[in-house]
Amino acid sequence: MAASAVGIITLFAVVLAGPLAWAVATYVQRRRKGNGPSADGAAEAGASEGQVDGTATQREEMSGVAYTLSLLGYAIGLGNLWRFPYLVGKWGGGAFIIAYLVCLLLVAIPAYLMEMVMGQYTRKSTVGCFKMIHPRWDGLGYGQALILLLVMAYYNVLLAYAIIYIAGSLVDPLPWADDSKNYFNVEVLNGYDDYVGKGLGPVQWKLALALLVVWLIVFASLAFGKKILTKVTWVTVVGPIVMLVVLVLRSVTLDGAGDGIEFYIGKFDSEVLGDLDMWASACSQILFSLSPGFGTAITMSSYTRPKENVFRTCMVVVVCNSAFSLLGGFAIFSIVGNITFRLNAAGGVLDEATGAMVATTVAEQASAGTGLAFIAIADGMRAFGSGTNAMSVLFFSVLLTLGLDSTFCWAETFVCYVEDYLLVKGGNKPAHWKIVGCMCAAMYLMGLLYCTRMGIELLDIVDHYCITYYLLLAVALEAFLFTWDFGWRRFVVHVKLATLGNLRTPLGQDVIPSAFWWYAIHFTMPACSLFLFFYIFSSDVDEPYGGYPDWLQGIGWSCLAALLAVTPLGFVRTLKLGTGSTLPPLEQDEAALAAALGITSTLPPLGQKEESMQKEESI
């Protein structure tokens, strides 16, 4: 093997693409403002008044561009380019996309918008936000904080895989050229052949070293404030978009790409629309992608400008997130189509039942699970000829940068929890970089569990029992929190008041169509989430998940039990202490809106439809 000049040059180009985009954008902004400070810079240097349990604080404030980029990076993650295509292949092409879009409209978008508005309104991190709305919900906030710990510990191990593959892309020939499946299972994971009498096993040094690199990147990006983080997000948000466009344009020209694309958008298996497992997969995919239920959107929105139009930002992020998934599917299935073409041209694949060579299909090659990215697509890189190393660097760099954005937001959210907690307790708060450093060190040590020989199995168990279950439950509970203690009218008034006088919304942003949002937040969001929660629960009781050994199943159920035990603590404490909401009176917000609109009396009566919804809500 020798170093690949093409791969090394491509990696340098990838690293420089983001800073170049940021420099161009900053130059254009300064030209528009007469060489004054850029909008981002001004915002990043500013702060807004906030409160943490009655204690006045100076809260860092993000510009609209920085806020949107952070949420885009948070939403567009590994699942968009890895898990989404796999699920499309597993569940019959277009049928899964239909289910995905339905769950997006009825569950994910309402939950995401609700979190963004509550975060901007209270200007507090998730725990503080829920406690302000009503202390009975702070247990839910603590549960979401634990979820962040669990997901950060294992999620970055997936990024460590990408680090190893990027390093491998810098040599020629690619180290997995002979057998991509063996490279992933043996050289990267060194997993066991079976589970009989096996434990987690020793830590694999390649994975441990790659994971350390990932956490060093996270520390360098977060330790020195949001001004540095904003510049980093230009690399990790703009970079993947540019790289994906290049990947799509090149992939669709491969032999067999048309068959892959036809399967992706041309196949529609209507029978699977009646399969509840497919709907559960679609709902969990969009929830994990946008990630309402983690509380991160609440915390990120607490840092945005008080006059930011979060309704418009929500729509932008949602559209871009789904568009990235759909566009990424063209690249993935073009490569899968080429893999199928090459296998059949070479005589097909071995049928283990008959021992004969038979033709394979796009559907079979697309249902490779985790291996879709690290086995099938890695093998597909060979189809690019002289550009093999360059395209391999591009693909795995996209995976890495997509994952880093999500990690940045999760880590920033958790650090905010810690800082707000320390402010409540009083005393001297440690420097921001020290808190970030301690968190990164702790997460790295926790992540080593997933770098063992059974690490990927442990990852799958924790992801299923903790993340899938608790996201569904948290979304449903947030809907109840909104209905009982925050209120639809406060939601509508805040969105309009916050955007009143803005250039694009001089009369304020209306939440339209109001009937859809009202019914979605109050009914479809909690109903769908709870139904899927109990359906998955009953399925796992009937048949243990994944066929893993009992001790791994026990870890999963124990982690879920711990999360469920934390959640009702706020209700218990509220019953004991008799504490209540510290939100300002709704009449105060309505009076402020009326004054801003120049209305001397009270606000005009609600429209007939909205008044009807208010009555239903009170019932």
Side-chain angles (χ1 to χ4, degrees), residues 136-328:
R136 61 171 158 243
W137 300 106
D138 66 356
L140 174 60
Y142 292 126
Q144 291 177 343
L146 289 176
I147 279 288
L148 287 179
L149 285 175
L150 291 170
V151 75
M152 282 193 295
Y154 78 72
Y155 188 80
N156 279 7
V157 177
L158 298 174
L159 307 191
Y161 298 164
I163 289 280
I164 291 174
Y165 275 82
I166 290 172
S169 302
L170 302 180
V171 298
D172 188 23
L174 296 175
W176 56 85
D178 293 334
D179 189 342
S180 59
K181 184 176 183 179
N182 182 75
Y183 181 81
F184 181 65
N185 290 331
V186 177
E187 297 297 324
V188 177
L189 299 181
N190 191 24
Y192 293 118
D193 294 329
D194 60 67
Y195 304 139
V196 179
K198 304 294 195 307
L200 287 177
V203 172
Q204 305 304 295
W205 71 268
K206 286 183 181 179
L207 282 176
L209 183 60
L211 183 62
L212 178 61
V213 172
V214 173
W215 279 112
L216 287 175
I217 294 172
V218 174
F219 173 77
S221 302
L222 267 63
F224 307 106
K226 291 180 175 52
K227 187 172 183 179
I228 297 298
L229 181 58
T230 299
K231 292 176 174 60
V232 173
T233 54
W234 277 97
V235 180
T236 55
V237 175
V238 176
I241 294 172
V242 174
M243 290 185 283
L244 180 63
V245 171
V246 174
L247 194 63
V248 170
L249 293 176
R250 181 63 184 90
S251 300
V252 296
T253 65
L254 296 172
D255 292 332
D259 294 334
I261 293 173
E262 182 180 358
F263 173 85
Y264 178 47
I265 60 174
K267 184 184 180 220
F268 188 89
D269 187 355
S270 59
E271 292 182 2
V272 302
L273 287 175
D275 193 324
L276 289 177
D277 286 329
M278 189 270 289
W279 285 93
S281 296
C283 193
S284 64
Q285 168 61 23
I286 185 56
L287 285 180
F288 190 84
S289 182
L290 279 179
S291 298
F294 275 113
T296 301
I298 293 176
T299 301
M300 298 302 292
S301 298
S302 74
Y303 288 109
T304 193
R305 293 167 172 170
K307 297 290 290 181
E308 187 69 32
N309 189 338
V310 296
F311 182 85
R312 186 181 71 238
T313 301
C314 177
M315 298 304 112
V316 169
V317 171
V318 165
V319 169
C320 290
N321 174 65
S322 297
F324 193 95
S325 291
L326 295 170
L327 178 63

Side-chain angles (χ1 to χ4, degrees), residues 52-53 55 131 142 418-428:
V52 181
D53 287 358
T55 304
K131 188 176 292 186
Y142 292 126
V418 174
E419 291 181 332
D420 283 358
Y421 175 79
L422 293 175
L423 283 171
V424 171
K425 292 300 180 182
N428 294 326

Side-chain angles (χ1 to χ4, degrees), residues 12 67 77 116 189 282 330 400 456 521-522 581 614:
F12 274 109
Y67 174 58
M116 292 171 69
L189 299 181
F330 283 94
L400 174 63
I456 196 167
I521 292 175
H522 289 79
S581 173
Q614 284 287 83

Side-chain angles (χ1 to χ4, degrees), residues 57-72:
T57 67
Q58 284 289 323
R59 200 167 191 81
E60 275 191 280
E61 193 174 284
M62 292 190 291
S63 70
V65 172
Y67 174 58
T68 303
L69 280 176
S70 296
L71 288 176
L72 278 173

